Amino acid sequence: MQRLREMWTKEGPGIPKDAPKRTGLALFAEILAREWWEMVKLNILFILASLFVVTLPAALVAMARVSVALVEDRNTYLLRDFTEAFLRYFWRATAWGLTLAGAFAICLQAILTYAAGARDNLMLAAPLAIALVATAFIAVFACHLVMLIVMRDLPALRLLRLAALGSVVRPLPALAALAFNATLWLAHILFYPVSVFMPATFNFSLGMFAVAFGVHRAVVLVLDLPEAMQPPCKPHAGNAS
């Protein structure tokens, strides 16, 4: 029982103080190699926490909170950190989740409508392209918004502005993270049934880690804007700026 309890509550592994600092894909691979078992456990926690569907947004945000800690190489106590984040952000995450789900539903309906009409009327190709771009922007915006929620306590309007700014300043890393997620699920489909255990073991946590890794720099950048450009706000304990 002691070993089972420690598997979920012990401090995650770290890196030597004098180790050379890596960047880019090398750093991504290094963190993944060091934290892969934590990600497997995080994936299981996320699945269990989102079983009721209505808890899905809070479970996503809690997973994002742990993923940011992994990116910043902060000490993580998986079960405690996930549970605290789930409870702390539950209502906020649910509200934003419903808002973003509504936005995606509108964009998807527009894409389907214009795509069907564009077959007979080429004039509808322009609004179809706009709908596709809008959908991509909302996806990138959602990535930045989730990370901003877990990295800093901000009012709703400030969250919207900073998430939009980060999405405009550095959209490519977020798009790359989303493409990585799409590749994970495409591999799951192509190699099924061999890949049947991918979602249960690492698809969700690895995908969220990729998002956190991709947009972290942009989020830090917009949070470090001069004080004149954003109101003072209370940062989370242990937040790296």
Side-chain angles (χ1 to χ4, degrees), residues 101-117 127-128 131-132 135:
F104 277 118
I106 293 172
C107 288
L108 180 59
Q109 183 61 43
I111 290 173
L112 294 176
T113 300
Y114 290 127
L128 174 61
L132 290 170
T135 303

Side-chain angles (χ1 to χ4, degrees), residues 158-178:
R158 178 58 59 180
L159 272 175
L160 287 171
R161 291 175 183 174
L162 293 185
L165 180 60
S167 301
V168 172
V169 172
R170 287 179 58 85
L172 294 183
L175 288 172
L178 293 172

Side-chain angles (χ1 to χ4, degrees), residues 114-115 117-119 121-132:
Y114 290 127
R119 297 174 183 176
N121 186 357
L122 290 179
M123 294 292 292
L124 295 178
L128 174 61
I130 294 174
L132 290 170

Side-chain angles (χ1 to χ4, degrees), residues 64-99:
R65 176 68 171 164
V66 176
S67 297
V68 169
L70 296 180
V71 171
E72 296 178 346
D73 190 33
R74 291 189 276 111
N75 293 336
T76 57
Y77 300 88
L78 187 59
L79 183 58
R80 185 199 69 184
D81 292 350
F82 184 92
T83 303
E84 287 182 353
F86 181 87
L87 295 174
R88 176 175 186 174
Y89 299 112
F90 182 85
W91 295 112
R92 197 183 318 176
T94 301
W96 282 115
L98 291 174
T99 302

